[in-house]
Amino acid sequence: MLLKRSLLISGAAIGALCAVAIPSWASSHREAPGTTEQPKIDGTDFYMFKSYEPGRDQFVTFIANYQPLQDPYGGPNYFTMDPDALYEIHIDSDGDAVEDLTFQFDFDNRLVNDTGVTLNIAGKDIPIALRAAGPVGAPEDGTLGENEYYSLTLVSGDRRSGTRDAIKNASDGSTEFVKPLDNVGNKTIADYPAYASQFVYDVTIPNCAVNGRVFVGQRAEAFAVNLGEIFDLVNLVPIEGDSAPGAGDGGGFPGGITQDRANDDLVGKANVTSLAIEVPVDCLVGSGNGVIGAWTTASLPQANIEDPLPTYAQTSLYGGAYVQQSRLSAPLVNEVVIGLPQKDLFNAAEPTQDSALADYVTNPTLPAILDLLFRDAVNQTLGTSIDNLAPTNIPRDDLVAAFLTGIPTLNQQATITPSEMMRLNTGIAPTPRAQQSTFGVAGDDLAGFPNGRRPGDDTVDIALRVVMGALCYPVPINGTPTDLGFCTSDDAPVGNVPFTDGAPISATELKNAFPYLNDPIAGSPNN
């Protein structure tokens, strides 16, 4: 007990926060060898939450982000989607870990007149090297030589053999939508927010009495992480250095990192491509208990033959059945939980197959790595003699609940099938943006993690605390501190410590309306 008291290195507010930390996971950027070879189908983040835009509380918003670490100046082609791939968001409404609904995005890139913009050079019409030849302000603007389109299909039942119905533009009944040009800069697109707003479509969804909305386009990265230092053997002291986040008083762990936007390697520096859809709750819940599970995937045809004479329309010949290449719901699992030999296998697996990789959850390596890196430093700093910083309750039933089954009375489905899905209790009202806690349920905010995920939830800090044993201490369920019974404080000597990477995020930094993520960072001027 003396050792544990020594680690209660902050004031009462921090101690309370640590004691109620709730499970969640962070982002996925280049997390598996296979996806590093195909960045267009690399899923980076998946958000699922009750819409908190005023007047939209009977909707659920899904945001699937792809193509990590987009440099804003990454021209001249920028970041189009893969027209050979299928991008999908899967919904399990009854808890059997099998998709009941799938929202399927299929892209098509086209050159205007099969050439793009041309200029007459000494009597010859020559295609230019750029996507645009002048200012762009509207969909399919005449200055654009290349446009990116997509269709959206609702699949009921199995994603490949189920019933397929087109999702249509509510204004004209069309089945094809346009994706905006990425944020090249303010000479090409003078007012990017106004330009991008034209690509938010009201849509009619089969079997839904109320219209939904869809937007596909580049957005600013919203995942806050001290990325470089984290993957350099955690080259920081990952414990809060202040008495409370942002206090600036140095009253926390000696030498611990403090919250600072300068610690963030992504927010304000990189873009992603978002596939965002807002769906009425009544169209999602089915006959279950109102808790839905969801995940996102990207798939490519099985066969790929490189074309020795490539054209714009075809650089490779694809054929055969679609094979899943990327999968995402709780993505930090593949980044720092799943071992190197099975990372690509995890990306290819469906939730019903997750038991094959369960050892990575029941016997996790990340806490052991943190122990190896920091045990001596912690003991030296505090004058303690902790034998092992990692939780000792093996198998880690606390992580099984967080990762595979959901939390009882919060977001556990009526049928419990251990599987890696993000789970959302649609019966819990959304929290207005200004009142959201970055720690979700841990901050007495039941509409946040682990009850889905919102863009303003600080997933890295929560993930660090959970893997180090936060669930071995009481957590708030419906506002009441509750012993979940998975383990005890004796199993987790540092489970009540405020682990952090020092990179903050808040919902107030993001939009209060669909599609919620901020407009992308411009490539010019002087990015």
Side-chain angles (χ1 to χ4, degrees):
M1 295 299 295
L2 176 60
L3 301 181
K4 290 176 186 171
R5 281 197 294 270
S6 298
L7 284 169
L8 290 173
I9 44 75
S10 55
I14 283 292
L17 179 62
C18 296
V20 299
I22 285 286
S24 164
W25 306 97
S27 183
S28 179
H29 297 73
R30 295 172 53 83
E31 87 293 347
T35 53
T36 64
E37 300 174 12
Q38 306 243 12
K40 285 180 181 284
I41 52 87
D42 186 2
T44 70
D45 287 279
F46 181 47
Y47 302 100
M48 174 174 67
F49 52 94
K50 287 289 288 293
S51 298
Y52 52 86
E53 176 182 342
R56 306 292 290 187
D57 61 342
Q58 293 306 305
F59 292 81
V60 173
T61 294
F62 303 91
I63 306 173
N65 286 348
Y66 285 90
Q67 300 198 58
L69 308 175
Q70 294 180 18
D71 290 324
Y73 47 82
N77 292 299
Y78 297 94
F79 300 94
T80 58
M81 301 297 279
D82 190 339
D84 295 305
L86 279 183
Y87 300 85
E88 296 171 305
I89 297 172
H90 309 282
I91 315 297
D92 169 27
S93 61
D94 54 20
D96 63 359
V98 176
E99 65 270 13
D100 297 295
L101 299 172
T102 294
F103 295 96
Q104 188 179 94
F105 297 77
D106 192 2
F107 290 86
D108 185 18
N109 307 330
R110 301 176 209 154
L111 292 175
V112 174
N113 299 322
D114 296 324
T115 61
V117 175
T118 62
L119 295 178
N120 189 285
I121 308 297
K124 292 186 177 182
D125 290 329
I126 306 297
I128 69 171
L130 307 178
R131 295 184 66 189
V136 175
E140 300 176 294
D141 200 302
T143 59
L144 278 169
E146 180 185 45
N147 290 295
E148 192 169 5
Y149 303 91
Y150 65 96
S151 63
L152 184 54
T153 301
L154 175 66
V155 184
S156 302
D158 183 89
R159 66 182 80 173
R160 298 293 172 257
S161 62
T163 302
R164 300 173 57 83
D165 293 290
I167 294 175
K168 299 179 180 180
N169 188 328
S171 66
D172 60 13
S174 61
T175 59
E176 187 171 70
F177 305 91
V178 186
K179 175 178 173 287
L181 180 66
D182 292 345
N183 197 357
V184 175
N186 63 12
K187 186 175 182 180
T188 301
I189 306 173
D191 185 348
Y192 199 89
Y195 168 69
S197 68
Q198 300 171 82
F199 298 84
V200 175
Y201 298 97
D202 288 334
V203 293
T204 56
I205 303 173
N207 304 315
C208 287
V210 179
N211 290 341
R213 290 188 290 187
V214 68
F215 170 83
V216 172
Q218 193 178 52
R219 296 283 90 188
E221 177 68 84
F223 172 53
V225 60
N226 203 338
L227 195 63
E229 280 69 20
I230 287 291
F231 286 115
D232 183 24
L233 297 178
V234 192
N235 194 5
L236 53 93
V237 178
I239 303 176
E240 179 62 59
D242 290 334
S243 62
D249 56 11
F253 189 85
I257 193 166
T258 60
Q259 306 299 314
D260 192 324
R261 176 56 72 210
N263 295 328
D264 193 341
D265 289 327
L266 296 183
V267 175
K269 301 170 186 176
N271 295 323
V272 291
T273 300
S274 294
L275 282 58
I277 184 168
E278 187 183 53
V279 184
V281 170
D282 291 344
C283 303
L284 298 168
V285 295
S287 59
N289 64 351
V291 177
I292 59 175
W295 66 102
T296 181
T297 64
S299 302
L300 286 168
Q302 189 171 30
N304 174 23
I305 302 175
E306 295 297 324
D307 193 332
L309 297 173
T311 64
Y312 172 86
Q314 179 175 296
T315 59
S316 301
L317 180 63
Y318 282 93
Y322 280 101
V323 178
Q324 184 175 301
Q325 305 290 312
S326 176
R327 168 189 172 192
L328 191 62
S329 56
L332 187 62
V333 170
N334 206 7
E335 277 190 319
V336 296
V337 176
I338 303 297
L340 275 172
Q342 278 84 40
K343 285 183 176 292
D344 290 311
L345 177 62
F346 178 85
N347 266 344
E350 297 184 18
T352 52
Q353 301 169 311
D354 287 338
S355 61
L357 300 174
D359 285 350
Y360 289 116
V361 179
T362 59
N363 299 64
T365 60
L366 179 58
I369 292 173
L370 293 176
D371 174 64
L372 288 171
L373 293 173
F374 294 107
R375 184 204 311 161
D376 291 345
V378 166
N379 283 331
Q380 182 177 0
T381 300
L382 297 179
T384 53
S385 57
I386 299 172
D387 292 331
N388 189 354
L389 300 182
T392 56
N393 55 306
I394 304 295
R396 289 289 301 273
D397 291 339
D398 54 329
L399 295 187
V400 170
F403 174 55
L404 299 175
T405 65
I407 304 296
T409 77
L410 179 67
N411 66 341
Q412 198 169 80
Q413 293 180 278
T415 298
I416 302 171
T417 305
S419 51
E420 201 278 291
M421 295 188 296
M422 190 173 293
R423 293 171 172 87
L424 174 69
N425 186 338
T426 63
I428 294 175
T431 302
R433 179 182 62 165
Q435 299 170 24
Q436 290 179 21
S437 167
T438 59
F439 290 95
V441 176
D444 287 328
D445 182 358
L446 293 180
F449 272 120
N451 186 32
R453 177 187 177 187
R454 302 168 303 196
D457 292 329
D458 193 340
T459 57
V460 172
D461 287 6
I462 301 172
L464 286 170
R465 298 174 191 195
V466 168
V467 298
M468 296 308 290
L471 297 187
C472 295
Y473 293 75
V475 299
I477 300 296
N478 293 324
T480 301
T482 303
D483 182 355
L484 298 178
F486 300 122
C487 45
T488 69
S489 58
D490 290 335
D491 296 317
V494 295
N496 58 355
V497 168
F499 289 96
T500 179
D501 69 336
I505 188 67
S506 170
T508 56
E509 300 174 43
L510 303 161
K511 290 181 178 294
N512 198 30
F514 183 83
Y516 295 96
L517 302 187
N518 289 334
D519 291 287
I521 304 163
S524 167
N526 194 30
N527 178 261

